[in-house]
Amino acid sequence: MRAMLTGATGFVGGNLLDLLLERGWSVRCLVRNREQASRILPEDEVELYQGDLRDPDKVLGCAKGCQVLFHTAADYRLWVPDPENMYCVNVEGTKNVLNAAASSGVERVVHTSSVGALGIPPDGSPGNEQTPVKLEELVGPYKRSKFLAEQEALRAAGRGLDVVVVNPSTPVGPKDRKPTPTGRTILDFLRGRMPAYVDTGLNLIHVKDVAQGHLLALEKGKKGEKYILGNLNMSLKEIFQVLAELSGLPAPRIRLPRWPILVMAYVECSISKWITHREPRIPLDGVKMAAKKMFFDSSKALRELGLPQTPVRQALGEAIAWFREQGYVTPKG
């Protein structure tokens, strides 16, 4: 069985690639730069196919001869100087992947969406796959582009393509190379740059469980259905307390109101946009997202897929260990 995989150099895609290779799969990875990818990926075990998601011919060429397709690639940033490029990658790129799958006879597609594309109930209870949401209610180009990409996947399923959608919550664990916004939060804590916290929350899951969830969606998921790949809802304060226990570093004790951080974010983003053209330390969209706790209910994936639930404490511990082993922080940090 040969699988096409996008996003193999990313956090979720990299862990999924490991799992596929452990299971004896033949994997063809679509990579933007073959030379750079070969420094990360085991080139002797996978086929590297150089191409860009925005190039439909390259995507089609990569898909030919593959029986299944895992589309994990996305532009995942909370600040971008040009949002249009994010829409091109996340939305138009997804269209190209779906069209290539249909044209090349791929038997099943697993599309990686995000809980960021889902709704959150007004009463603060956990959202699920059916919680309604409108595009204008979503904060920032990342969430909006992932919502639009998910709609493309569901429309393709309606046209007959066998597509299953998975919505990972907040993965943590090893191989967060870039790192993701959540990984940067963990790193800031380890580097002593997190003196305070805000009242928000996330649903965390071990990244290896997310990888397993993709395979389970392939094997057991229903065409045109969505599955939240999540585990434990935790407040940011609780996350920092666990990180403190695992790392031996102090947890922040000061809870800040949201408005001064919002003001700082507006200032930093203005400086980034007009002067430095570099990512701000406090992304405005991230602060706006923190106004709601990103809590979700993954019971559908547990019930229908058998999604594993590795303890989140273990996932955070493995994230700390990996960042330290890879030199992102000193052993004491």
Side-chain angles (χ1 to χ4, degrees), residues 69 71 97-98 101 106-111 161-165:
L69 194 159
H71 179 39
V97 167
L98 296 167
V106 167
E107 296 170 12
R108 170 160 272 206
V109 176
V110 178
H111 170 70
L161 186 64
D162 192 347
V163 183
V164 181
V165 175

Side-chain angles (χ1 to χ4, degrees), residues 223-291:
K223 174 183 172 182
E225 292 287 324
K226 299 190 290 185
Y227 297 91
I228 294 173
L229 306 183
N231 188 342
L232 184 64
N233 293 312
M234 301 177 69
S235 69
L236 188 58
K237 180 180 180 180
E238 290 171 334
I239 293 170
F240 285 142
Q241 286 173 338
V242 174
L243 289 173
E245 293 167 8
L246 294 170
S247 67
L249 300 170
R253 297 182 178 181
I254 302 172
R255 173 181 159 183
L256 291 178
R258 185 167 161 267
W259 68 266
I261 301 176
L262 192 62
V263 171
M264 292 170 60
Y266 270 108
V267 172
E268 287 209 13
C269 285
S270 296
I271 293 172
S272 294
K273 181 178 181 179
W274 302 109
I275 301 176
T276 67
H277 306 294
R278 296 177 182 175
E279 185 173 1
R281 279 189 53 80
I282 307 176
L284 179 59
D285 285 347
V287 177
K288 290 181 178 179
M289 290 177 192

Side-chain angles (χ1 to χ4, degrees), residues 147-221:
F147 173 84
L148 293 172
E150 181 181 285
Q151 294 304 303
E152 292 294 336
L154 296 175
R155 276 194 286 270
R159 294 192 298 267
L161 186 64
D162 192 347
V163 183
V164 181
V165 175
V166 291
N167 299 79
S169 57
T170 307
V172 290
K175 292 198 170 184
D176 193 357
R177 297 186 182 96
K178 202 169 185 178
T180 60
T182 308
R184 283 200 296 272
T185 298
I186 295 173
L187 279 174
D188 282 343
F189 172 84
L190 295 174
R191 292 167 176 167
R193 298 175 183 171
M194 198 62 67
Y197 66 92
V198 294
D199 181 24
T200 190
L202 300 166
N203 181 287
L204 302 187
I205 181 173
H206 198 304
V207 68
K208 292 184 178 180
D209 290 351
V210 173
Q212 181 69 30
H214 281 69
L215 269 182
L216 291 167
L218 178 74
E219 298 164 0
K220 303 179 181 181

